[in-house]
Amino acid sequence: MPSEQLDNLASGVGAAASSKSAANQRPRRSALARLEGRFLTIWIALGILLVADAIFLPKSLDGTTLLAVSPFSAFLAIAAIGQATVIMARGIDLSAPAIITLSSSILIGVSGGSDERLWIAVVAALLGAVFVGTINGLSIVFLKLNALIVTLAVGAIVTGLTIWYRQSFGAESPVPPSLAEFGNGRIFGVPTAVAIASVITLIAVLLLTKTVWGRKFEASGCNPDAAFIIGINVKLYQAGAYAIAGLIYGIAAVLLAGFIGNPTLDAGNPYFMAPIAAAVLGGVAMTGGIGNMLSVSIAAIFLIQLDQSLKMLGLPTSWQLVIQGVAIGAGMWLSEITSTTRRG
């Protein structure tokens, strides 16, 4: 398949772009500049937040504070990359919290808190996450069910099964000691979660920008009909996005379980709306096909730093949720405005 066709599809202009005259090239470059601007916005927002914190809340930028907060940014970044993958495939995933809680529960249930069964438990936890993600993908893509309803329903079913499963070994059970040590350790002086989140971000960026698979995936989300015409298995890519997201949620769950030490049934609760907010603020188009995983990770850092700043200011949780909701709304508005401009 010609690489030029994939590039045209991924940029939302379709195969017809190759027939445009030279006179039409200037508007196309202008649209591309605006497209890149959607990813730059979150970098600017983070810069403004850091400057404001340096002036009004300098303690929030202390080395100790940043090291304490950075793992939470990493967990959110990983979950947000999973969510962004689904959104780029023209979907949405509300089952992320349930998958994270299920995976952490499988981990401690299979391991029984023993290092001897750690690797079996990790594999089981990841497989469980991939299985749920696959069910989401098959139901949505092949049965043509609504993504919002399916993932919400699957999340509820998984939550119920997890509660039933946890009754066999208690609401609070420890993870294997070696995992707890790993989850709270450092790699080259960087918290483990941050190091792994950085690797996942790098892999996601390279896959989307440097591989044929990434171009096909973007094309499938950007213009499914045109992608199908040139021979791309659109349904496979869209369904696969949910399975990949499940795997990413599973990785986040294992790291989170190791960091917490004894994850409870509430372990996944913080990852219901926050990953969607990070994905949208990072410039991922709700219309599909457009996304930048590095900007998504930066958006996760922004949200956690904003949350930390609001807490240090003494604002109640209610206001924190309000601000997060406003952030999601603003991000969706920006996404729609940019997508409309691009289509025009």
Side-chain angles (χ1 to χ4, degrees):
M1 180 179 300
S3 176
E4 183 180 354
Q5 283 184 304
L6 290 175
D7 289 337
N8 287 337
L9 277 172
S11 62
V13 297
S18 60
S19 64
K20 287 186 177 180
S21 64
N24 292 329
Q25 294 304 309
R26 181 173 298 176
R28 181 182 175 186
R29 287 196 297 269
S30 177
L32 179 61
R34 287 192 291 269
L35 180 63
E36 293 301 324
R38 72 183 297 141
F39 303 134
L40 181 62
T41 302
I42 190 60
W43 294 77
I44 297 175
L46 178 61
I48 293 174
L49 177 62
L50 293 178
V51 170
D53 283 344
I55 297 174
F56 301 105
L57 293 170
K59 289 185 178 180
S60 67
L61 299 179
D62 286 347
T64 302
T65 303
L66 291 177
L67 281 175
V69 172
S70 61
F72 297 99
S73 298
F75 300 141
L76 178 55
I78 295 172
I81 287 174
Q83 186 68 246
T85 301
V86 171
I87 294 176
M88 287 183 67
R90 295 198 168 195
I92 194 76
D93 192 352
L94 300 183
S95 66
I99 294 177
I100 291 175
T101 301
L102 172 68
S103 293
S104 62
S105 298
I106 292 175
L107 175 68
I108 58 180
V110 174
S111 69
S114 172
D115 286 336
E116 295 179 357
R117 299 180 57 84
L118 174 59
W119 287 110
I120 298 177
V122 169
V123 172
L126 296 180
L127 288 177
V130 172
F131 176 76
V132 176
T134 301
I135 294 298
N136 283 334
L138 294 177
S139 301
I140 293 165
V141 176
F142 292 97
L143 298 182
K144 298 182 180 181
L145 301 178
N146 182 275
L148 191 72
I149 302 301
V150 168
T151 56
L152 190 61
V154 168
I157 293 171
V158 170
T159 298
L161 292 175
T162 303
I163 294 174
W164 169 78
Y165 178 62
R166 290 292 290 260
Q167 293 175 353
S168 62
F169 54 87
E172 294 188 11
S173 300
V175 300
S178 58
L179 179 60
E181 182 179 354
F182 176 77
N184 288 277
R186 297 185 182 183
I187 299 176
F188 300 113
V190 178
T192 300
V194 175
I196 294 179
S198 300
V199 171
I200 292 176
T201 301
L202 177 60
I203 292 175
V205 169
L206 292 177
L207 284 176
L208 287 176
T209 60
K210 302 297 182 181
T211 68
V212 174
W213 177 90
R215 294 177 182 179
K216 288 182 178 180
F217 175 72
E218 289 184 340
S220 298
C222 200
N223 193 333
D225 294 334
F228 176 78
I229 290 174
I230 64 172
I232 297 176
N233 191 335
V234 175
K235 289 185 177 181
L236 179 62
Y237 280 95
Q238 291 182 339
Y242 286 91
I244 292 173
L247 174 62
I248 296 174
Y249 300 148
I251 294 173
V254 172
L255 292 173
L256 182 63
F259 182 77
I260 296 175
N262 57 341
T264 65
L265 290 169
D266 298 328
N269 289 357
Y271 305 98
F272 183 61
M273 294 301 295
I276 300 176
V280 174
L281 290 175
V284 178
M286 297 299 291
T287 51
I290 299 173
N292 184 305
M293 295 307 182
L294 180 57
S295 293
V296 170
S297 294
I298 293 299
I301 296 174
F302 170 81
L303 287 174
I304 294 299
Q305 183 63 27
L306 176 62
D307 179 70
Q308 178 70 10
S309 300
L310 294 175
K311 288 180 179 177
M312 294 184 72
L313 286 173
L315 292 181
T317 303
S318 58
W319 277 106
Q320 296 174 33
L321 294 174
V322 168
I323 293 175
Q324 188 179 87
V326 170
I328 295 174
M332 291 184 66
W333 174 80
L334 178 63
S335 174
E336 178 61 26
I337 290 297
T338 307
S339 299
T340 301
T341 302
R342 179 173 58 85
R343 289 194 296 267

